[in-house]
Amino acid sequence: MKTKISKLETVLEEVQTPCYICEEELLEQNLKQLQYIQDETGVNILLAIKAFANSGMMPMVAKYLKGCCASGLYEAKYGQELLQKEVHTYSPAFKDDEFNEVCEVSDHIVFNSFNQLEKFKNKIHSQNSIGLRVNPEISFSPVDIYNPCAMYSRFGTTKKEFNLNVRDEYLELLDGFHFHALCEQNVEAFEDVLDHFETTFSKYFKHLKWVNFGGGLNLTQDNFEIDEFIKILKNFKSKYPHLEVYLEPGEAVAYQTGVLAATVVDIIHNNIDIALLDTSTECHMPDTLAMPYTPQIRGAKSIQNQDLQTFGTGDYVYRIGGNTCLSGDIMGDYSFDKPLEVGDKIIFEDQMHYTTVKNTTFNGIKLPDLAVLKKDGTFQVMKKFGYEDYKSRN
Ligand SMILES: *Cc1c(COP(=O)(O)O)cnc(C)c1O
């Protein structure tokens, strides 16, 4: 995987903030890496809409991936409309009043439990392929909020529940098993999960047509052991040649493909220098609070666990904060090459996944525009938001 080089500097002047800017060329680099995995192994890769639903970029995603995975009716409709390829819909619990429409727009439908399979088995459309999410009960996630296999997890049928509730009739209805157990993991974790999955469930594989290994892998990061991964997938395919294999990355599709651009609105002093921006962690970068993590700022160094008062005036150290009234709306502490000034642009790196899809208008903060830097170098704002967006939902 080539190191990614942003070409944003050429257009930054004209960007009105706050604004998410996706770089087409960088997204295509990721998609080509995923295409390589598909070509080498014969697996099918789907975009997890949950992570990245950016209308302007969907035509490019559709060029490389087989379709999308959706977590319910709206994502399924979105995927069907904007990608026009396969739609695989899983929901922790499908609702009666939505299920028929889910069937209409989906190819695969994945149930979370045998209860749900029992409830909806007569409402499935003939073109739907039916799966069950199983819980491989092995977990590597860094934090519980992003751990699909944490203790008492509500995702997927565990071995115990499977064995208690399985019936021949269900095995006849099922075409596939699905698991999603990882978050930001590498090959080693995948190998372990796959091993558990196989040990527990391979006795049923003869009934199936496909398996879906979920997302949560760093497929597009420089240090991902791609050759090792390809070997594991090929080995699985050779053991079970009758099974189609699906992967559904979210983060990996949009990893390092764009930024959130903001502007310094004011700089104040309260023992330390504090810059206030026209953006917000809570509204525009919620994972910085939920994970939590400190977002990278282009051209600045993050300062961790250090008393800011130990820095001198020549160090250009600032606490960077958002413009909501949430006290904790703080991106972090950073050191810059030169003093910040009101009007300066601040570029937060790697802000295309799990951001726009989670934006809120909390506190009446303006939603950032969605823009794209095209491969030919032109800058295009795809969506603009304003007061009406706040009013319409409040
Ligand atoms: C969130 C999710 C994904 C994508 O996960 P990433 O960590 O973004 O790759 C895939 N499948 C399911 C079922 C999910 O819930």
Side-chain angles (χ1 to χ4, degrees), residues 48 50-51 69 90 133 178 180 182-183 214-217 248-251 354:
K50 184 182 76 190
C69 74
Y90 156 82
R133 179 166 176 171
H178 171 286
H180 169 68
L182 301 171
C183 174
L217 284 164
E248 41 185 40
E251 174 167 335
Y354 293 107

Side-chain angles (χ1 to χ4, degrees), residues 80-286:
Q80 196 224 22
E81 259 182 60
L82 283 112
L83 289 167
Q84 301 187 2
K85 302 195 83 173
E86 284 181 36
V87 175
H88 296 223
T89 309
Y90 156 82
S91 170
F94 288 108
K95 290 177 62 180
D96 289 310
D97 58 349
E98 293 182 352
F99 191 73
N100 190 44
E101 216 182 336
V102 167
C103 292
E104 275 167 22
V105 297
S106 305
D107 297 286
H108 287 204
I109 292 180
V110 179
F111 292 109
N112 194 50
S113 66
F114 283 125
N115 293 341
Q116 284 247 306
L117 176 61
E118 174 62 38
K119 177 169 177 176
F120 290 115
K121 64 182 186 197
N122 297 323
K123 305 212 165 116
I124 297 159
H125 295 197
S126 58
Q127 81 274 13
N128 299 142
S129 185
I130 299 306
L132 180 76
R133 179 166 176 171
V134 297
N135 186 329
E137 296 175 81
I138 176 162
S139 67
F140 292 96
S141 284
V143 289
D144 267 356
I145 184 176
Y146 296 129
N147 186 354
C149 298
M151 183 145 73
Y152 310 136
S153 169
R154 65 196 192 285
F155 299 133
T157 303
T158 58
K159 178 181 172 181
K160 187 173 161 197
E161 292 300 311
F162 192 98
N163 291 336
L164 274 174
N165 298 301
V166 69
R167 294 194 215 154
D168 288 345
E169 179 205 3
Y170 293 160
L171 290 172
E172 252 159 61
L173 283 168
L174 287 177
D175 298 318
F177 283 159
H178 171 286
F179 71 77
H180 169 68
L182 301 171
C183 174
E184 297 185 340
Q185 305 295 317
N186 289 317
V187 171
E188 211 177 314
F190 176 73
E191 223 173 343
D192 275 7
V193 172
L194 188 60
D195 193 47
H196 271 241
F197 170 66
E198 255 189 278
T199 308
T200 315
F201 295 105
S202 61
K203 54 178 166 288
Y204 303 104
F205 284 0
K206 59 177 183 290
H207 299 278
L208 305 180
K209 298 193 178 100
W210 53 264
V211 288
N212 184 324
F213 297 158
L217 284 164
N218 299 327
L219 301 172
T220 52
Q221 294 195 15
D222 281 342
N223 62 356
F224 188 76
E225 307 91 336
I226 190 89
D227 296 332
E228 186 58 29
F229 185 61
I230 285 171
K231 221 166 78 187
I232 295 168
L233 292 180
K234 276 185 169 164
N235 180 42
F236 186 91
K237 296 264 306 181
S238 69
K239 264 162 90 182
Y240 311 104
H242 72 293
L243 293 179
E244 283 284 340
V245 174
Y246 292 89
L247 301 173
E248 41 185 40
E251 174 167 335
V253 175
Y255 174 70
Q256 282 188 351
T257 59
V259 305
L260 171 61
T263 299
V264 177
V265 183
D266 193 17
I267 298 172
I268 61 163
H269 196 80
N270 176 4
N271 289 305
I272 58 170
D273 289 320
I274 303 163
L276 294 114
L277 310 185
D278 59 353
T279 184
S280 156
T281 54
E282 172 76 18
C283 305
H284 307 152
M285 297 182 279

